[in-house]
Amino acid sequence: MRRIKEQGTADVFDAVSWEPGSASIPVSFARSVGLYTPAIAGTVPSDCAVLFLSPWGFEEMCTRKLWRDLAERFARSGISSLRFDYPGTGDTPDDMEFPGGLPVWETAIEAAAAELHRLCGTSRLILVGHGLGATFAALNAGRLGTVEGAVMMAPVISGRFYLRELAAWSKMVDDGLGLSDEQRIAGKVSVAGLVMPAEIAAAVRGISVHNIETTPARAVLVVHRAARDSEAAFADRLESLGATVTRQVYAGYDDLVSNPTIARQPEAVATAVADWVAALASDAGTAVDPELPSAPAIVTGGEFREEPLRFGPRHRLFGTLCLPKGERRGAAVVLLGTAYDRQAGWGRSATETARYLAANGVASMRFDAANVGDSPPVAGAPVQVLFSAGQQDDVRAAFDLLAERGLGPAVLAGRCSGAYVAFRSSLDEKRCAGVVAINPFTFVWDEEENVEEALRYNPRSLGDYRKRALRAETFRRLVSGQIDIPRAAGNICRQLGSRAARSAPRIFWRLSKFGRLRHTVHASFGRLSERHIPMRLIYSETDVGLERYHAYFGADGAAMKAYPNVSVEIVPGADHNMSPPEAKALLRQRILEMALAAAE
């Protein structure tokens, strides 16, 4: 054990045990952030450990939960593992340079392998890669020591083709968000607000493993997509090089990578991968002399100091505490995630906001709620955690951590479902000193509404439909059949029906479901007003959440005047995710203002 004396850190580093239901153990090395999952107590620790090699961008966001699930399955078989962020991604520092392109990421892979060997005392590795990570496994296995096996899931065979495919996927994501041509990231390799460094992109463009000369391991599991002949041919090539190749069709790939909010885990494939790795590791002998972490994982940048950590009962949650290097001021900020995005946020927005706050003297906490990203689910809780009261327990645990570190008071900030959790948590959390709610979908959940349906077919606002109808791109997509006309028409009709319901004489409101929901919303705002909790409501100008806001507070928002603690701001030219740089900068500034004002 090592005693810690610095501001915001624990008096005693609470060590390194892991059990099912706990988050994995944070580690830091070579300016990267990793999560180590040791073999579960009671198993014989294998001399083979698994090093995860992640995909990049949108695909990485969608597979984050899959990696956690596989790590836990491996641990139950006595196999330790490490998953980590490449430099310049996720929760790693931002001030990275990439001379020569891929060598910086390849050096990080080597450092991760060395760290894994040190942590668990193994001499052999099994590489598990997805997408670009699977290709890195093929290209880098020779420099990582003894590699017993490699799992290659949807490997990138041609870097040039991959970048073309990524550009098409990026356009689909931007179309889904309703971004105009001026709002899209141009001239760079990007997707979902994430930008691949130019040097990395140039190196990736030159990758081709069609005619690889050396197999990455003696045993290889290729999880290939059914319609990708190049992936099947790659498996044949590895076999011709002497590898024992097992082939597995990647059932459920599209459902996994289509959207992190609605991603469905490929259970059959996960089971096949876990069984294959366990069988390979079963003859590897026993690990010896592990060196478990003896101090907190710390990551530093120009003006911040971050501690990735586990917290809550049984260390069930994973998050990152971000502290200013200089004098601290204002209230701390709890940054709440949106949907199933990992704690770094959409386009790394939460990571960027945390470091902006630190540069201005404000501490913050960002974390994965239970069953999101790297935080495991709560036993017995519903699988669907969004818009559930259970997430308020996670917020309470974050406040407890801040209190333990002497970092109160704190304000809550979140977007969409994160804004909903911020609002609902502020009602009962007496330690909440303020709320910034960005594009809240609603303020009270209608139990008759299906969360899955709302997430998968989230309707647009009438204003957004009008805006899109004027675009030539919309006409092109309509003619080509890319727009689901019946669903769009149904969404419009439902919103028109909602408007008609709230236009009915008020005497009928108390008899309707709408009236009951409206009463609950106003009662909630009334409670916060009585406690003088400052709140900022921030909407993009065509966000669907505005439909409910107007339903509860009037077309002109006049009913909000009853709550002087609340300010409302509309951001022009922004999408639901607040993607434009100007919108991001505005949000960061508003959160900072709330943090500073709340401590006065």
Side-chain angles (χ1 to χ4, degrees):
M1 297 273 202
R2 175 183 172 186
R3 190 168 293 275
I4 305 298
K5 296 292 187 181
E6 299 174 60
Q7 179 198 36
T9 56
D11 288 337
V12 175
F13 174 60
D14 190 2
V16 290
S17 61
W18 181 84
E19 60 182 7
S22 299
S24 296
I25 301 166
V27 295
S28 59
F29 53 90
R31 303 199 78 201
S32 290
V33 178
L35 284 166
Y36 172 59
T37 312
I40 192 171
T43 62
V44 177
S46 172
D47 191 40
C48 271
V50 167
L51 180 63
F52 287 96
L53 297 176
S54 297
W56 180 83
F58 197 71
E59 189 178 353
E60 189 273 339
M61 293 169 63
C62 293
T63 55
R64 193 77 181 182
K65 186 174 178 179
L66 174 62
W67 265 195
R68 170 173 56 76
D69 175 58
L70 285 174
E72 293 172 356
R73 294 183 191 226
F74 296 151
R76 291 184 175 93
S77 298
I79 304 166
S80 301
S81 66
L82 178 67
R83 54 199 194 270
F84 69 101
D85 291 336
Y86 302 123
T89 70
D91 295 309
T92 62
D94 306 291
D95 57 339
M96 303 294 294
E97 296 182 356
F98 301 90
L102 285 178
V104 175
W105 283 6
E106 291 169 340
T107 299
I109 292 171
E110 292 181 54
E115 179 74 0
L116 179 55
H117 283 310
R118 183 186 71 82
L119 289 169
C120 58
T122 59
S123 63
R124 293 180 264 189
L125 291 177
I126 298 173
L127 305 179
V128 176
H130 199 291
L132 202 55
T135 307
F136 292 160
L139 298 176
N140 291 278
R143 66 181 75 185
L144 302 180
T146 302
V147 176
E148 285 291 303
V151 179
M152 313 189 74
M153 306 178 70
V156 170
I157 307 301
S158 163
R160 190 174 298 275
F161 179 80
Y162 166 75
L163 293 183
R164 288 201 301 267
E165 188 176 47
L166 192 63
W169 190 245
S170 178
K171 187 176 187 306
M172 290 174 60
V173 172
D174 289 348
D175 286 343
L177 293 174
L179 296 179
S180 64
D181 290 341
E182 296 76 21
Q183 293 171 330
R184 302 182 188 200
I185 299 173
K188 300 177 181 179
V189 174
S190 66
V191 65
L194 298 165
V195 177
M196 183 179 287
E199 301 91 338
I200 297 288
V204 168
R205 185 172 286 107
I207 287 177
S208 175
V209 294
H210 286 287
N211 297 308
I212 190 171
E213 295 296 331
T214 306
T215 180
R218 64 177 179 84
V220 180
L221 171 61
V222 178
V223 185
H224 60 91
R225 291 167 285 185
R228 299 298 179 98
D229 293 340
S230 61
E231 294 174 16
F234 178 63
D236 294 339
R237 175 63 180 171
L238 295 176
E239 201 163 47
S240 73
L241 294 172
T244 300
V245 177
T246 303
R247 295 166 173 81
Q248 171 74 38
V249 174
Y250 204 145
Y253 173 83
D254 291 336
D255 287 336
L256 175 66
V257 303
S258 61
N259 186 333
T261 301
I262 57 176
R264 293 177 178 172
Q265 298 305 301
E267 293 295 336
V269 168
T271 298
V273 169
D275 290 347
W276 186 89
V277 169
L280 184 64
S282 63
D283 298 327
T286 305
V288 295
D289 299 326
E291 297 182 25
L292 295 176
S294 58
I298 300 296
V299 176
T300 61
E303 297 178 277
F304 68 86
R305 180 180 185 277
E306 289 189 341
E307 181 184 351
L309 45 74
R310 303 183 298 167
F311 65 101
R314 297 177 59 206
H315 301 305
R316 67 181 183 84
L317 298 168
F318 171 67
T320 300
L321 185 62
C322 183
L323 300 172
K325 281 187 173 179
E327 182 180 357
R328 190 171 75 85
R329 61 186 186 135
V333 177
V334 177
L335 297 167
L336 299 176
T338 298
Y340 289 101
D341 294 346
R342 59 175 294 192
Q343 61 157 320
W346 182 270
R348 296 185 80 209
S349 57
T351 297
E352 292 172 354
T353 298
R355 293 169 184 176
Y356 167 83
L357 293 172
N360 287 277
V362 173
S364 67
M365 178 71 185
R366 61 187 188 274
F367 68 96
D368 290 336
N371 206 20
V372 175
D374 292 305
S375 293
V378 174
V383 173
Q384 177 55 265
V385 298
L386 301 184
F387 298 101
S388 73
Q391 290 197 317
Q392 295 170 42
D393 294 334
D394 302 337
V395 173
R396 192 173 301 110
F399 272 93
D400 289 344
L401 174 71
L402 292 175
E404 291 168 6
R405 300 295 184 94
L407 295 173
V411 302
L412 293 166
R415 178 180 61 80
C416 190
S417 61
Y420 172 84
V421 175
F423 178 74
R424 302 310 306 177
S425 296
S426 67
L427 293 170
D428 298 315
E429 178 51 70
K430 303 302 182 186
R431 295 168 292 185
C432 176
V435 178
V436 180
I438 303 156
N439 282 335
F441 181 65
T442 187
F443 301 105
V444 59
W445 189 257
D446 178 2
E447 295 300 330
E448 295 180 9
E449 192 167 5
N450 184 282
V451 176
E452 294 285 346
E453 286 290 308
L455 294 174
R456 188 170 292 274
Y457 305 114
N458 186 17
R460 306 186 187 284
S461 69
L462 293 176
D464 195 21
Y465 280 122
R466 283 194 296 267
K467 185 177 178 181
R468 288 166 180 259
L470 299 176
R471 293 182 184 171
E473 174 69 11
T474 302
F475 180 75
R476 184 191 65 77
R477 294 181 64 219
L478 184 66
V479 172
S480 63
Q482 297 178 37
I483 295 178
D484 188 337
I485 297 176
R487 185 166 297 282
N491 288 337
I492 292 172
C493 288
R494 279 191 292 273
Q495 292 186 51
L496 290 174
S498 176
R499 288 191 176 187
R502 67 178 185 259
S503 299
R506 295 194 178 190
I507 190 172
F508 297 118
W509 282 4
R510 69 183 62 185
L511 304 177
S512 67
K513 180 176 70 173
F514 165 72
R516 293 190 296 273
L517 292 174
R518 184 182 186 279
H519 173 77
T520 301
V521 168
H522 278 268
S524 298
F525 273 88
R527 288 170 57 190
L528 294 178
S529 181
E530 290 171 0
R531 289 169 49 204
H532 306 289
I533 302 298
M535 175 180 293
R536 284 186 180 273
L537 289 178
I538 304 175
Y539 289 96
S540 51
E541 62 180 339
T542 59
D543 192 74
V544 67
L546 277 172
E547 294 291 331
R548 301 199 185 207
Y549 171 77
H550 291 143
Y552 297 135
F553 299 102
D556 57 359
M560 185 58 79
K561 293 177 182 177
Y563 312 109
N565 60 310
V566 180
S567 66
V568 182
E569 185 171 5
I570 307 298
V571 182
D575 62 303
H576 179 69
N577 288 0
M578 295 287 186
S579 301
E582 300 81 5
K584 288 183 179 180
L586 175 68
L587 297 183
R588 289 195 293 265
Q589 179 64 28
R590 295 293 182 261
I591 294 171
L592 174 63
E593 291 169 356
M594 177 65 77
L596 297 179
E600 293 178 355

